[in-house]
Amino acid sequence: MTRNIQSLERAAAMLRLLAGGERRLGLSDIASSLGLAKGTAHGILRTLQQEGFVEQDEPSGRYQLGAELLRLGTTYLDVHELRARALVWTDDLARSSGESAYLGVLHQHGVLIVHHVFRPDDSRQVLEIGAMQPLHSTAMGKVLSAYDPVAHSEALEADRKAFTDRTVCDPEGFEQVLDITRARGYAADVEETWQGVASVAAPVHDRRRMPVGAVGVTGAVERLCPDGELRPELIAAVRDCARAVSRDLGAGRF
């Protein structure tokens, strides 16, 4: 009979314990609940913390679940499923907006484009599926950074390059942008990544209301911002698209 690995069993039990309530737990509480010596419990917690599965609140010294579990928890949602659910809605978004529509997910410290619908005109365009976009300056990147704790951490740790004189690079300014994004439910990029280009994006959530991607439209500034501001109907169309995809993923109403 194959024997179980005791350290893994203990780590799993520790994660279940931390997931069982809303409050943080101290080392003594964890060790006592699991019948472990403090030294043993501390060693497991330290390893889990290094891997991002557990976080320690510095003022209190107590432990809670870490953001990396969010990333693992959403991997059941295959990117292909997300793309399949978004196909019809992104097609409708491109048609109604007259602009290119995109679907992106967090990948390797950036936004991976997993679906791209061409602008519905006869202009020459390049398919951008598989392209990577930065987290700190693009509309989809800001959306992911605002709603996904892992994306947020990666954006803050990254070298936030100034692509144009409009790019927000300093941590305080970037956090303010994310606060605004969460407050209004969408993010904008008006010549922050590419001169003459604007975009707007909104978050997609799964059945557990976890952020799993972003949808958006991108086009020339003069079309998206004819009066210096993003057209309200474009913002509404993008948000409606994101809600529709989220509903198809089981998220319910937002």
Side-chain angles (χ1 to χ4, degrees):
M1 180 181 295
T2 302
R3 297 179 61 184
N4 293 339
I5 300 174
Q6 189 180 54
S7 59
L8 292 180
E9 290 182 330
R10 288 172 170 174
M14 201 168 285
L15 292 174
R16 292 192 187 98
L17 178 65
L18 290 171
E22 296 183 0
R23 65 187 181 92
R24 301 182 179 98
L25 295 176
L27 175 60
S28 296
D29 298 324
I30 295 171
S32 176
S33 296
L34 299 179
L36 300 175
K38 283 187 179 180
T40 301
H42 184 257
I44 296 172
L45 284 167
R46 187 172 61 248
T47 301
L48 291 172
Q49 186 177 1
Q50 289 172 349
E51 296 299 324
F53 299 142
V54 165
E55 296 174 354
Q56 186 178 30
D57 178 60
E58 291 187 6
S60 67
R62 292 176 175 267
Y63 295 89
Q64 62 187 15
L65 293 179
E68 182 61 20
L69 284 175
L70 173 63
R71 299 300 310 149
L72 293 180
T74 57
T75 54
Y76 82 94
L77 178 67
D78 190 272
V79 168
H80 295 297
E81 179 187 354
L82 174 60
R83 183 176 179 274
R85 298 286 186 179
L87 286 176
V88 172
W89 300 111
T90 48
D91 282 348
D92 287 346
L93 178 60
R95 189 179 306 111
S96 65
S97 67
E99 302 294 342
S100 297
Y102 295 86
L103 174 69
V105 298
L106 178 66
H107 180 69
Q108 294 182 352
H109 309 285
V111 183
L112 174 67
I113 304 301
V114 296
H115 186 52
H116 173 199
V117 184
F118 283 160
R119 186 171 63 253
D121 59 20
D122 296 328
S123 63
R124 185 175 180 178
Q125 301 173 59
V126 177
L127 188 65
E128 296 186 42
I129 293 176
M132 293 290 294
Q133 294 185 359
L135 287 170
H136 70 287
S137 62
T138 62
M140 286 196 293
K142 293 179 202 175
V143 162
L144 293 175
S145 299
Y147 289 91
D148 185 333
V150 176
H152 179 246
S153 296
E154 292 182 355
L156 288 177
E157 293 169 2
D159 179 17
R160 292 178 299 280
K161 177 181 176 181
F163 298 104
T164 73
D165 58 5
R166 292 173 177 258
T167 310
V168 178
C169 300
D170 65 284
E172 294 79 11
F174 183 62
E175 289 288 6
Q176 290 177 2
V177 169
L178 299 187
D179 287 342
I180 293 172
T181 297
R182 285 185 286 266
R184 62 189 185 184
Y186 71 90
D189 167 11
V190 181
E191 296 189 291
E192 294 177 49
T193 311
W194 302 282
Q195 294 283 358
V197 177
S199 60
V200 58
V204 174
H205 296 81
D206 67 6
R207 61 181 60 88
R208 295 178 301 164
R209 300 204 171 191
M210 295 295 188
V212 292
V215 295
V217 296
T218 298
V221 170
E222 58 266 25
R223 294 196 305 269
L224 271 65
C225 310
D227 300 317
E229 299 289 338
L230 282 165
R231 289 159 45 201
E233 66 271 21
L234 280 181
I235 297 170
V238 168
R239 296 191 67 192
D240 286 346
C241 178
R243 291 191 191 101
V245 178
S246 298
R247 284 196 302 269
D248 277 4
L249 291 172
R253 293 182 61 86
F254 269 83

